[in-house]
Amino acid sequence: MTTIFKDAKEINSSFANILSSLSSKESVIISRRIGLNGEKETLQDIGNDFNITRERVRQIEEAGIRKIGRIIRTTGFAKIQEMGEAILRLNGGLMTKDRLVSAIADELKVDQTVNLGIIEVILQANFNINKSKPQLGTKTYFYFPEISKKLINECHKEAVKILKKKGDIMERNSLYEMVKINLFANFGKIDVVLLDSILDVYTDLIKGEETFIGLSKWKILNPGTLKEKAIYVMKKEKRPLHFVELSNLVSNYFNEAVKVATIHNELIRNNEFVLIGRGIYVLAEWGFKPGTVLDVITDVLGKAKGPMVTEEIIAKVLKIRQV
């Protein structure tokens, strides 16, 4: 076996030599699929040029990759395959394509001129690992054959069910323990590292802040709009905030300039926020009520089962208003 490649140029040229061993159609299709000489192209685009179906393009591509798998056994690319297997094992036997390819590129210490599609093809040509087929709601991933699709699907299904029931983000370790316990009867002990890698695959889940995980649609761990960012900051601070302080905190958290008037407008026009004092806002989900102090007192008395002394009224009001 030859030594590992010294730079990106050597990887690119060595791969070009391997492609020359394939049929012209296989070589052209694989080159175009990974964007070896330009932009990556879809199966449909290539099929249109060759006047063949998308499925036929995929079949030719796979046949070429299988040939590459046999050719590279005596080349430096075999070392890349070994490296990919080792990294895959460290991550429980499953990783998203982008994470695994990036990890190998980092190990190789090659610059950005290397075509990462080459590494992907080399991994796909490894007969010891599988590559997932495109599926709505998932990222492409590589995995060892012994990891069942049923386990992958059930881990995701159980995680989503637990998060929906809680209705909020969770510490990853807490979620993982619950998933492991709930699935133990069917799958035995599930490795936490594998579970973590499995949940990377699904686009309806998002990880953030190093330890948390939640549903992507909640926008809590990946806020996009100014309203979502204000909610995020309030949940992080866990206390009432004056709109000026909130504006400064949003700027600090997201490293972007936010106008005080703009954030104030968001607070005024969205029901997720409640004014509880002069310029001081909280999240409605914390149990605070909108309205004047008189409105709050009236509501407190209305819910009481009988007369209330002044001290009781004050205590109740202060729980939902800052006066």
Side-chain angles (χ1 to χ4, degrees), residues 304-317:
K305 295 180 180 179
M308 299 178 68
V309 298
T310 305
E311 289 75 12
E312 289 178 315
I313 298 173
I314 292 173
K316 289 279 189 180
V317 170

Side-chain angles (χ1 to χ4, degrees), residues 113-290:
T113 60
V114 70
N115 186 309
L116 295 181
I118 293 175
I119 297 177
E120 181 183 345
V121 169
I122 298 306
L123 289 171
Q124 193 173 344
N126 187 343
F127 300 119
N128 296 328
I129 61 177
N130 293 338
K131 180 184 177 184
S132 69
K133 288 181 170 51
Q135 182 181 340
L136 190 65
T138 67
K139 304 168 190 172
T140 303
Y141 59 94
F142 287 99
Y143 63 103
F144 287 123
E146 59 265 27
I147 298 175
S148 73
K149 287 291 186 69
K150 185 176 181 181
L151 171 64
I152 295 169
N153 293 334
E154 287 301 314
C155 285
H156 167 249
K157 183 179 176 181
E158 190 64 30
V160 170
K161 184 171 76 173
I162 293 168
L163 285 167
K164 283 183 176 179
K165 185 175 181 180
K166 180 175 175 57
D168 201 356
I169 61 175
M170 293 179 65
E171 288 274 356
R172 291 184 210 170
N173 289 339
S174 298
L175 176 66
Y176 296 169
E177 283 305 310
M178 293 177 71
V179 171
K180 286 171 59 181
I181 291 169
N182 294 349
L183 297 183
F184 182 81
N186 292 328
F187 298 101
K189 186 177 180 181
I190 301 172
D191 185 8
V192 171
V193 177
L194 172 59
L195 180 54
D196 187 57
S197 294
I198 287 173
L199 298 188
D200 278 338
V201 167
Y202 292 89
T203 58
D204 60 348
L205 295 173
I206 187 167
K207 298 174 183 176
E209 299 178 26
E210 298 181 359
T211 62
F212 289 99
I213 186 169
L215 297 181
S216 301
K217 65 181 180 181
W218 289 341
K219 299 293 184 182
I220 298 171
L221 295 176
N222 186 29
T225 65
L226 189 55
K227 181 183 80 172
E228 290 164 358
K229 291 175 181 177
I231 292 172
Y232 173 91
V233 170
M234 283 192 161
K235 287 196 171 187
K236 288 288 289 182
E237 294 293 320
K238 299 178 181 178
R239 60 186 174 88
L241 293 170
H242 191 278
F243 67 86
V244 174
E245 183 184 10
L246 178 59
S247 176
N248 293 331
L249 286 170
V250 169
S251 297
N252 292 337
Y253 269 101
F254 298 99
N255 195 29
E256 60 183 51
V258 177
K259 293 181 179 178
V260 172
T262 305
I263 199 79
H264 197 198
N265 288 337
E266 289 293 320
L267 296 173
I268 292 170
R269 66 191 182 93
N270 287 290
N271 294 331
E272 288 88 344
F273 309 102
V274 176
L275 178 68
I276 63 167
R278 292 189 176 182
I280 299 172
Y281 288 83
V282 294
L283 292 175
E285 65 184 59
W286 292 348
F288 289 80
K289 302 292 182 183

